Amino acid sequence: MGVGMNVSDIKAIITGGSSGLGGACVRHIAELGGKAAIFDIEKNRGEALAKEIGANVTFVETDVTSEDRVKASIATATDFFGEINVVINCAGIGDASKVYSKSRGPFDLSLFSKIIQVNLIGTFNVIRLAVESMIDNEPDEEGERGVIINTASVAAFEGQIGQAAYSASKGGIVSMMLPIARECASYGIRVMTIAPGIFDTPMLSLLPDDARKSLEAMTPFPKRLGKPSEYAETALHIIGNKMLNGDVIRIDGAMRMQ
């Protein structure tokens, strides 16, 4: 883990932590001796994962778009662990729709708004309230109080047709990172973003097999879907490497969306 935070000292909140990328982070942190609070709207799945892993993990039902719910959830996690020093934002939704479709007409504006609300505004909502909590943490010898990791996507850079809303939400996450990191530097809080390529998550499982195979073929090497555990390993490296701050790490096997 280098000179950064030891895994055993991690007290994390992980949004979207009941499955997929977030679930992998919960498992990885707990297996290495850290503590994690699952923030998710999926109550049954989140409670089941927390029960499966055991004492170092708790589930807090959370809607990331709600100020009151996130405030209450952070207070619950802080009471449970004593403090929160890591945030990993994985909560997100996706959908595909053209700006104009001959069969459906113009892009449904309510769908566009929902994707922005969950992916972008939800991420910012958690960041701002977590920073408020982390500021009270006791700093380490270099002044670090916490680490925030957000989840973008390669679609932030090379969105495909039909991904206008999703790309906008993930592009916003990338764009707001640097000003937030610059501000949070004075608080001793680092802010990073991971931009995954095509990963084997529940969101992707909704696609038919031929579509999944087509996406796999787009990745130069390794020619397969990313594993959620590889996302989790990247997040743990960020936590442990203090020089990683204010930047985006792509984990995509050199894929560039066509």
Side-chain angles (χ1 to χ4, degrees):
M1 294 298 294
V3 298
M5 193 184 304
N6 291 321
V7 181
S8 59
D9 295 328
I10 291 175
K11 295 160 187 164
I13 58 176
I14 302 172
T15 72
S18 68
S19 63
L21 304 179
C25 290
V26 172
R27 290 182 185 279
H28 210 50
I29 288 170
E31 286 170 3
L32 294 172
K35 297 177 175 65
I38 300 168
F39 281 21
D40 207 304
I41 206 165
E42 296 283 349
K43 184 177 180 181
N44 292 340
R45 194 179 289 173
E47 287 180 339
L49 181 59
K51 183 178 179 182
E52 175 194 338
I53 295 174
N56 281 355
V57 175
T58 188
F59 170 74
V60 188
E61 187 176 1
T62 309
D63 176 357
V64 296
T65 67
S66 166
E67 178 172 9
D68 292 341
R69 293 283 291 278
V70 172
K71 272 188 175 180
S73 295
I74 289 175
T76 298
T78 302
D79 289 343
F80 195 79
F81 296 140
E83 67 176 18
I84 295 301
N85 55 18
V86 170
V87 174
I88 305 176
N89 281 307
C90 293
I93 58 174
D95 208 329
S97 182
K98 291 184 176 182
V99 173
Y100 175 78
S101 166
K102 290 181 180 178
S103 60
R104 292 186 294 177
F107 195 129
D108 182 345
L109 191 59
S110 64
L111 174 60
F112 190 97
S113 297
K114 182 180 179 181
I115 292 171
I116 297 295
Q117 187 72 30
V118 174
N119 295 1
L120 178 56
I121 298 176
T123 294
F124 182 72
N125 189 33
V126 174
I127 290 171
R128 70 192 185 93
L129 298 174
V131 167
E132 180 184 37
S133 175
M134 285 182 177
I135 285 173
D136 294 330
N137 291 350
E138 188 69 27
D140 69 8
E141 66 280 359
E142 288 191 292
E144 183 169 277
R145 289 184 170 88
V147 182
I148 296 172
I149 300 170
N150 303 316
T151 305
S153 165
V154 295
F157 310 102
E158 302 113 28
Q160 296 180 300
I161 292 173
Q163 287 189 317
Y166 187 72
S167 292
S169 70
K170 296 302 186 177
I173 288 173
V174 171
S175 294
M176 72 180 177
M177 173 193 54
L178 186 56
I180 294 173
R182 284 172 164 166
E183 176 187 348
C184 287
S186 64
Y187 314 139
I189 299 169
R190 291 186 288 119
V191 183
M192 284 287 291
T193 297
I194 301 174
I198 307 300
F199 272 61
D200 192 7
T201 64
M203 189 184 297
L204 199 69
S205 68
L206 300 174
L207 295 176
D209 284 344
D210 58 342
R212 285 167 58 91
K213 289 177 181 176
S214 173
L215 290 170
E216 288 179 16
M218 290 171 59
T219 306
F221 185 83
K223 201 164 282 297
R224 60 168 171 79
L225 302 177
K227 300 173 184 177
S229 61
E230 292 168 325
Y231 176 97
E233 288 163 3
T234 305
L236 265 292
H237 179 72
I238 290 170
I239 293 166
N241 188 333
K242 282 188 178 177
M243 285 305 291
L244 291 174
N245 191 16
D247 209 346
V248 182
I249 296 177
R250 291 180 64 135
I251 46 173
D252 56 24
M255 184 188 72
R256 297 297 181 265
M257 299 285 271
Q258 301 299 309

